[in-house]
Structures are given as structure tokens and as C-alpha cells.
């Protein structure tokens, strides 16, 4: 059953080829844009690699870069095919090329759509990666003398100031770790000794936060130590007063930033996907309309173009069956090679 059959007079074929040539170059620019967006997202993710536990989220920019580069090649050939479609004598040379061309083009176009879906669906993976990464970053904040961790303090401080956040979930995360190095503690001090002894693990824990948690918009000088001790500060109530430190956790801030970035990129790539799909559909109509002219003396006759010669299921199986046969044959060859070795 032929899908979406249409009649194409000579003038309509010419206009289709000319319009598609222009559309293919627009899609080429869009492909370059997709690659650029992938590079931008990759760069932003790598900037915060020290507070991410894994790189699973990098599948989104990697996919965008791959489909962006593929789109450049797909649309370049589409423009050449459109040029040759204006000359019935040159178009037949593309006959054997077009079937694998459409298969590859459809694969990368679907991959582009998957990249869009992943840009919206990877929130859980991003959040879990940041949860572990930030927890480790806070834990190693004090290790400025440890190789491999000496820049952790600087990274966390810059992160908290740039995103106006404090801690992993919130500022209380700093109460649970020793973030001041032993190098800067006076162990002859009674206060230090008492705090260390009062902790099972022998850590120096304080109800305070690093300076980078301080909110410069607050009219009051920053209170970063003894946050839970009302008597330590004048006119201060820990429970009711709005603290002059950042209250939002860095995980929430980073998830909001990256998901906003990926959702914006996803919307842009979705429009590029629709443009790429339009190029392939139009090119398929042009191909089938031009194939009907092959071998005819009068090349200005009216022809019919269609999207699929058979049904959707039959067309998919036409491409899948050769791949299945190849994989089956390969498996049989491997089994045949393994049999003598076992004997």
C-alpha cells in the first residue's frame, strides 16, 4: 500500500527541487548550531565535573555533537541531490546511493529526537550525581594539603558564591563535617579539645559555615559561626530570623541551572529535528517523482511521488531483515570457528 501519494507536474518538481535546495542549506546551518549547542553544554558540564559523581549526563551533549556533525553531511548531500534533480540526465546516478542514504539519515534524525527526550529526562541522573559529588566536595573541603584535593576548597567556595547557595541540601550540611583543617586548629585550646572529645570520630564540628555562604545582600554583617546559638549574637533568633547566609542548597541550584539550560537547548533542537524531518520527507517525494521520469523521452511529464512504496511495517522490515541475516550469518561463522577449537 503506497503511503501519501501525490502528483507532481514538471513545474512543481522544479519548485520542489529549488525550495528543497534552500531548505537543505538552512538545515546545514541548523546542524552546525546543534553541534555548537552540544559543545556549549559539554563545556558547562565539565566546568562542574569536580562536584559530579559520574559522567552519565554527558550522553546528552555527546549525542548532540554526533547528530550535529552527521546533519552537516546529510544536508550537504541533500543539496547536491536537489541540484541534479533539475537535470533528468544526471539524477539516475544517485539511484543506488539513496536507499542507504535515507537509512542513515533516518537513524541520525531519530537519534536527534532521542537527544531532545534525554535533555528532559535526565534530571534524576543529574540530581543523584550532584548529590554524591557535592557531599564528597564538602567532606574534602579542608584537604588543601592533599594531592588531588588541594583545589577542592577553592572550587566549592567559587561554586557557592556564583550560584548563591550553601551546602548540599542546605547550610546545615556544613554542621556534619569537619571543614576546618587540623592545621589551623589550636589543640592547646580548651574549646578545641572539648569539641574534638565530644565527637565519637574525633572531628572538630561547629555550627558554622564557610565565608562563601555569606549573603552580601544582607544588611547585617555575616554571622557564619555559632549559627544555632542565640546568646552568642545580639538581637538574634536562629529559629525566626532570616539568616544572612544563602539558604538554598547547591544541589538544587545546580539542578535548576543545568535543567534550565538543557530544556532550552532541547526546545531548540526539537525545532531543528522538525526542519530535518521536513528535508527528508521532501527529498523522498522528489526522489520518487524523479524516478518515474527515468528512461522517458519527455522529461516534462506529470509524475507521481510518494513517501513509502509499501506500508510502514513492511518498509521497516525491508531495512531490518538484511541486518538480521547479516548478524545471523556472523553468529554461524563464529560458532563454526569455535567448534574445531573445542574438538
Amino acid at each position: 500500500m503506497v503511503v501519501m501519494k501525490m502528483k507532481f507536474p514538471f513545474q512543481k518538481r522544479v519548485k520542489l527541487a529549488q525550495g528543497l535546495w534552500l531548505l537543505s542549506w538552512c538545515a546545514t546551518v541548523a546542524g552546525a548550531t546543534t553541534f555548537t549547542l552540544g559543545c556549549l553544554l559539554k563545556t558547562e558540564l565539565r566546568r562542574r565535573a569536580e562536584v559530579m559523581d559520574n559522567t552519565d549526563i554527558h550522553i546528552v551533549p555527546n549525542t548532540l555533537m554526533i547528530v550535529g556533525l552527521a546533519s552537516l553531511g546529510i544536508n550537504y548531500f541533500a543539496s547536491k541531490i536537489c541540484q541534479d534533480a533539475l537535470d533528468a540526465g544526471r539524477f539516475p546516478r544517485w539511484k543506488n546511493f539513496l536507499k542507504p542514504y535515507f537509512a542513515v539519515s533516518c537513524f541520525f534524525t531519530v537519534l536527534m529526537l532521542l537527544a531532545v527526550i534525554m535533555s528532559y529526562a535526565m534530571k534524576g541522573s543529574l540530581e543523584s550525581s550532584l548529590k554524591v559529588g557535592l557531599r564528597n566536595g564538602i567532606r574534602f573541603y579542608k584537604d588543601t594539603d592533599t594531592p588531588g584535593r588541594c583545589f577542592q576548597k577553592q572550587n566549592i567556595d567559587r561554586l557557592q558564591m556564583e550560584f548563591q547557595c550553601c551546602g548540599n541540601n542546605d547550610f546545615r550540611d556544613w554542621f556534619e563535617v569537619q571543614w576546618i583543617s587540623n592545621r589551623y586548629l589550636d589543640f592547646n585550646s580548651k574549646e578545641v579539645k572539648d569539641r574534638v572529645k565530644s565527637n565519637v570520630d574525633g572531628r572538630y564540628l561547629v555550627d558554622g559555615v564557610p565565608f562563601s555562604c555569606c549573603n552580601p545582600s544582607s544588611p547585617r554583617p555575616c554571622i557564619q559561626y555559632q549559627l544555632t546559638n542565640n546568646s552568642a549574637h545580639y538581637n538574634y533568633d536562629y529559629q525566626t530570623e532570616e539568616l544572612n547566609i544563602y539558604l538554598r542548597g547547591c544541589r538544587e541550584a545546580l539542578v535548576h541551572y543545568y535543567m534550565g539550560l538543557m530544556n532550552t537547548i532541547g526546545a531548540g533542537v526539537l525545532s531543528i529535528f522538525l526542519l530535518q524531518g521536513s528535508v527528508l520527507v521532501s527529498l523522498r517525494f522528489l526522489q520518487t517523482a524523479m524516478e518515474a521520469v527515468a528512461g522517458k523521452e519527455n522529461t516534462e511529464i506529470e509524475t507521481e511521488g510518494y513517501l513509502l512504496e509499501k506500508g510502514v511495517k513492511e518498509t521497516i522490515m525491508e531495512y531490518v531483515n538484511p541486518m538480521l541475516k547479516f548478524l545471523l550469518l556472523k553468529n554461524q561463522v563464529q560458532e563454526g570457528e569455535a567448534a574445531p577449537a573445542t574438538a
Side-chain angles (χ1 to χ4, degrees):
M1 179 183 69
V2 177
V3 178
M4 295 183 66
K5 184 186 291 186
M6 295 176 63
K7 293 187 180 296
F8 287 90
F10 174 70
Q11 287 299 327
K12 192 174 180 179
R13 290 199 305 272
V14 172
K15 288 180 180 179
L16 177 61
Q18 291 174 337
L20 184 54
W21 179 86
L22 180 61
L23 192 65
S24 64
W25 280 111
C26 291
T28 302
V29 175
T33 303
T34 303
F35 177 77
T36 303
L37 290 173
C39 291
L40 172 66
L41 182 57
K42 182 82 171 179
T43 302
E44 284 298 305
L45 289 170
R46 287 179 66 88
R47 282 183 63 203
R48 306 298 169 195
E50 72 278 355
V51 293
M52 292 188 184
D53 182 52
N54 57 60
T55 57
D56 292 349
I57 192 67
H58 286 251
I59 191 173
V60 177
N62 291 345
T63 304
L64 289 175
M65 288 189 288
I66 290 170
V67 298
L69 289 175
S71 182
L72 295 176
I74 289 168
N75 292 296
Y76 169 77
F77 282 111
S79 67
K80 300 296 289 183
I81 293 167
C82 292
Q83 281 184 320
D84 287 352
L86 297 171
D87 185 347
R90 288 191 299 174
F91 187 79
R93 65 179 181 173
W94 295 100
K95 184 177 181 180
N96 295 328
F97 173 81
L98 283 171
K99 188 172 181 178
Y101 170 81
F102 276 113
V104 172
S105 299
C106 288
F107 170 77
F108 281 107
T109 304
V110 171
L111 196 61
M112 184 181 293
L113 179 61
L114 289 176
V116 173
I117 294 171
M118 286 189 295
S119 69
Y120 290 92
M122 292 293 285
K123 182 178 179 180
S125 176
L126 174 63
E127 194 163 3
S128 61
S129 176
L130 286 169
K131 181 179 180 180
V132 177
L134 283 167
R135 186 175 64 206
N136 290 335
I138 291 172
R139 191 174 65 181
F140 301 138
Y141 179 87
K142 69 180 188 303
D143 297 342
T144 52
D145 297 327
T146 305
R149 299 177 188 168
C150 51
F151 290 105
Q152 194 70 283
K153 177 185 179 298
Q154 184 184 86
N155 292 333
I156 294 295
D157 283 334
R158 289 183 183 277
L159 172 70
Q160 293 189 144
M161 289 187 289
E162 180 179 345
F163 286 91
Q164 298 184 351
C165 58
C166 185
N168 189 347
N169 299 306
D170 58 31
F171 65 92
R172 295 177 185 85
D173 294 324
W174 290 105
F175 299 175
E176 301 171 3
V177 297
Q178 179 181 335
W179 53 272
I180 302 174
S181 174
N182 288 341
R183 180 181 179 183
Y184 305 108
L185 294 175
D186 181 8
F187 283 94
N188 294 320
S189 167
K190 184 177 183 303
E191 180 194 354
V192 173
K193 288 180 180 179
D194 290 344
R195 282 192 178 275
V196 172
K197 288 178 180 179
S198 65
N199 184 265
V200 177
D201 298 323
R203 295 179 297 169
Y204 181 75
L205 302 183
V206 293
D207 54 343
V209 295
F211 78 96
S212 53
C213 284
C214 293
N215 184 355
S217 300
S218 174
R220 181 169 187 162
C222 186
I223 298 175
Q224 64 181 107
Y225 293 106
Q226 295 183 308
L227 289 170
T228 59
N229 186 357
N230 292 336
S231 61
H233 312 284
Y234 176 72
N235 193 22
Y236 176 79
D237 189 342
Y238 167 69
Q239 296 294 336
T240 60
E241 185 173 340
E242 184 176 345
L243 303 178
N244 55 0
I245 58 174
Y246 298 124
L247 303 180
R248 183 171 65 161
C250 289
R251 175 154 51 101
E252 179 188 345
L254 285 170
V255 168
H256 182 267
Y257 171 73
Y258 281 119
M259 288 310 299
L261 183 62
M262 287 198 293
N263 291 349
T264 302
I265 290 175
V269 175
L270 181 60
S271 62
I272 294 172
F273 164 78
L274 296 175
L275 175 63
Q276 186 64 60
S278 301
V279 169
L280 294 179
V281 170
S282 302
L283 187 60
R284 176 60 177 168
F285 278 119
L286 181 63
Q287 175 206 0
T288 52
M290 288 301 300
E291 284 178 347
V293 180
K296 301 285 176 60
E297 292 184 7
N298 183 11
T299 59
E300 298 185 5
I301 60 172
E302 181 180 90
T303 58
E304 289 185 342
Y306 50 84
L307 187 61
L308 297 176
E309 187 177 6
K310 303 173 185 176
V312 176
K313 183 178 179 181
E314 291 83 354
T315 304
I316 293 173
M317 293 309 298
E318 185 179 337
Y319 283 93
V320 171
N321 282 335
M323 295 176 61
L324 293 176
K325 289 179 181 178
F326 172 77
L327 293 173
L328 183 62
L329 180 63
K330 184 178 180 181
N331 188 46
Q332 289 174 347
V333 170
Q334 289 177 343
E335 288 178 354
E337 291 176 349
T342 306

